[in-house]
């Protein structure tokens, strides 16, 4: 089959039901996170987030016995006080999504009373349900976890900031990870102060938690495999159950016709993604769509086999120096990990 022949449709009720950690992070827990011994902030993050989860109570508003509550479900008419959320601040590959999903699993509320999704999935939910209905749908939740909070679209940032403000009024606890602002260079990661400033008026509700470290996907692992030939990729696709086979330029063109919120549905049920003629992406819009696809493939642990240029040459030097560079490095990191998994197909 070809991904470029798929046109997924995702009904609104499915968007709500699927706001859970993706398959890669379904089994993660705090005790499966492996902190780098050289980075004490990683061990501290596990400790703080574990206490954060315990402080949430059972989701009914009652505080856990003998424990200090970080979040108090305030009456709707009263302005909530104190931090009601945590922001995980760190570079790509330090395990922020692992920790965010572990927090979701550790929160004591029933699964239907806590939600986990990417920023793109959350904005698409608002588009499908409308703002007020989204507030009503999520306001009864104990916890909302937002991965990859996007700050490069001012309109969407204001929209989600307004949504979070309403949810905080209803006592919903928040947790988020974030991406780089356009124009932010330096460390290649985004500073907590910028996140808090951008989510207008919500800074008092977030406790920044910095997580230092190197990309765990490359820690002690061999170099990424070199691309295979077109013939090897096509042969592997034919003998691999559930594999897709696409020419890379054709797939990039198809991505422009599918909303990024549907990329998860686009690769649903796919056992492996086989790509021929991988070339550097031609422009920024295409590159950003590819980043989202890489995230969804990584979430679902779909191995990738490719011919053409290596994945570390997908993005131009100009892109890797620009404001979206953190996203591009994350995509390279994740595609490289999936390419290692894809070696078994040859």
């Amino acid at each position: 089959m070809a991904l470029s022949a798929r046109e997924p449709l995702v009904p609104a009720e499915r968007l709500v039901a699927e706001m859970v950690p993706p398959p890669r992070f379904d089994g993660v827990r705090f005790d499966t996170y492996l902190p780098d011994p050289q980075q004490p902030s990683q061990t501290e993050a596990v400790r703080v987030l574990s206490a954060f989860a315990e402080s949430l109570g059972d989701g009914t508003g009652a505080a856990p016995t003998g424990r200090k509550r970080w979040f108090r479900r305030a009456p709707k008419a009263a302005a909530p006080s104190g931090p009601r959320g945590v922001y995980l601040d760190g570079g790509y590959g330090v395990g922020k999504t692992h920790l965010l999903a572990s927090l979701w699993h550790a929160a004591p509320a029933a699964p239907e009373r806590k939600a986990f999704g990417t920023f793109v999935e959350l904005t698409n939910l608002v588009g499908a349900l409308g703002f007020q209905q989204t507030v009503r749908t999520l306001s009864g939740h104990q916890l909302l976890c937002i991965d990859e909070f996007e700050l490069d679209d001012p309109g969407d940032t204001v929209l989600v900031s307004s949504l979070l403000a309403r949810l905080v009024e209803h006592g919903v606890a928040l947790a988020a990870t974030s991406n780089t602002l356009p124009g932010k260079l330096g460390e290649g990661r985004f500073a907590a102060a910028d996140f808090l400033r951008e989510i207008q008026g919500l800074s008092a509700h977030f406790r920044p938690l910095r997580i230092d470290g190197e990309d765990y996907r490359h820690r002690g692992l061999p170099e990424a495999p070199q691309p295979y030939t077109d013939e090897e990729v096509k042969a592997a696709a034919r003998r691999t159950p559930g594999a897709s086979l696409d020419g890379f330029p054709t797939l990039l063109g198809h991505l422009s016709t599918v909303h990024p919120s549907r990329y998860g549905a686009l690769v649903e049920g796919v056992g492996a993604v086989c790509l021929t003629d991988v070339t550097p992406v031609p422009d920024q819009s295409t590159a950003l769509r590819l980043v989202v696809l890489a995230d969804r493939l990584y979430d679902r642990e779909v191995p990738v086999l490719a011919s053409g240029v290596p994945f570390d040459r997908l993005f131009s030097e100009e892109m890797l120096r620009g404001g979206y560079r953190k996203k591009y490095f994350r995509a390279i990191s994740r595609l490289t990990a999936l390419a290692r998994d894809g070696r078994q197909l040859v």
Side-chain angles (χ1 to χ4, degrees):
M1 63 179 163
L3 296 182
S4 54
R6 289 185 155 196
E7 298 180 359
L9 297 176
V10 184
E13 58 271 17
R14 178 176 165 183
L15 294 175
V16 178
E18 292 185 347
M19 291 194 74
V20 297
R24 176 177 288 273
F25 300 99
D26 184 53
V28 302
R29 299 295 187 272
F30 288 127
D31 58 6
T32 65
Y33 181 78
L34 302 177
D36 184 344
Q38 305 300 317
Q39 303 292 343
S41 64
Q42 295 186 8
T43 301
E44 177 66 4
V46 173
R47 186 192 68 78
V48 172
L49 288 173
S50 297
F52 183 98
E54 292 175 358
S55 74
L56 295 176
D58 60 3
T60 63
T65 303
R67 297 188 183 275
K68 179 181 177 181
R69 289 203 69 206
W70 286 21
F71 305 108
R72 178 177 295 107
R73 182 176 293 275
K76 293 183 180 180
S81 61
R84 306 183 68 81
V86 62
Y87 162 63
L88 307 185
D89 175 34
Y92 54 90
V94 297
K96 297 190 302 297
T97 302
H98 184 135
L99 290 170
L100 190 69
S102 298
L103 173 62
W104 186 92
H105 288 298
E112 63 271 15
R113 297 204 60 224
K114 49 189 178 180
F116 183 106
T118 65
F119 182 86
V120 171
E121 290 167 336
L122 188 59
T123 56
N124 190 56
L125 181 66
V126 176
L129 299 182
F131 184 85
Q132 296 299 336
Q133 183 57 43
T134 303
V135 172
R136 287 191 289 270
T137 299
L138 298 179
S139 61
H141 282 52
Q142 179 196 62
L143 174 68
L144 171 62
C145 297
I146 309 170
D147 200 21
E148 302 162 17
F149 201 111
E150 303 279 357
L151 295 173
D152 34 50
D153 186 318
D156 282 347
T157 300
V158 171
L159 173 68
V160 174
S161 296
S162 300
L163 173 64
L164 298 186
R166 292 288 299 277
L167 295 179
V168 166
E169 292 175 359
H170 287 82
V172 181
L174 308 173
T177 71
S178 185
N179 287 323
T180 311
L181 272 171
K184 289 291 179 184
L185 301 176
E187 294 180 278
R189 70 169 183 78
F190 163 70
D194 294 319
F195 173 82
L196 298 177
R197 181 169 59 249
E198 289 296 318
I199 56 171
Q200 306 169 1
L202 283 173
S203 60
H205 302 304
F206 278 87
R207 171 181 178 173
L209 183 60
R210 178 164 177 165
I211 307 170
D212 298 303
E214 299 177 355
D215 185 347
Y216 78 93
R217 286 179 287 269
H218 302 307
R219 194 189 305 159
L221 293 176
E223 290 296 317
Q226 289 298 306
Y228 295 91
T229 66
D230 285 355
E231 291 70 26
E232 288 173 318
V233 171
K234 291 176 182 177
R238 285 193 295 267
R239 65 173 174 262
T240 302
S244 65
L245 176 64
D246 292 88
F248 189 66
T250 302
L251 177 59
L252 293 183
H254 182 61
L255 292 181
S256 67
T257 69
V258 180
H259 191 277
S261 64
R262 298 179 181 177
Y263 287 4
L266 181 71
V267 300
E268 184 176 359
V270 175
V273 168
C274 298
L275 302 170
T276 59
D277 193 25
V278 173
T279 57
V281 293
D283 57 74
Q284 194 109 265
S285 296
T286 302
L288 292 173
R289 287 192 288 268
L290 180 60
V291 167
V292 178
L293 179 65
D295 288 338
R296 301 293 80 79
L297 291 173
Y298 184 77
D299 289 344
R300 288 157 178 77
E301 301 180 283
V302 180
V304 175
L305 192 69
S307 67
V309 304
F311 287 136
D312 60 4
R313 289 169 50 194
L314 280 173
F315 308 107
S316 69
E317 288 299 321
E318 181 180 3
M319 291 179 182
L320 295 179
R321 290 194 302 267
Y324 299 104
R325 74 178 204 164
K326 179 180 174 182
K327 296 183 182 182
Y328 300 146
F329 280 116
R330 185 181 78 237
I332 292 170
S333 171
R334 290 184 165 185
L335 287 172
T336 297
L338 296 176
R340 292 194 188 103
D341 297 340
R343 285 184 297 188
Q344 63 185 315
L345 305 178
V346 178

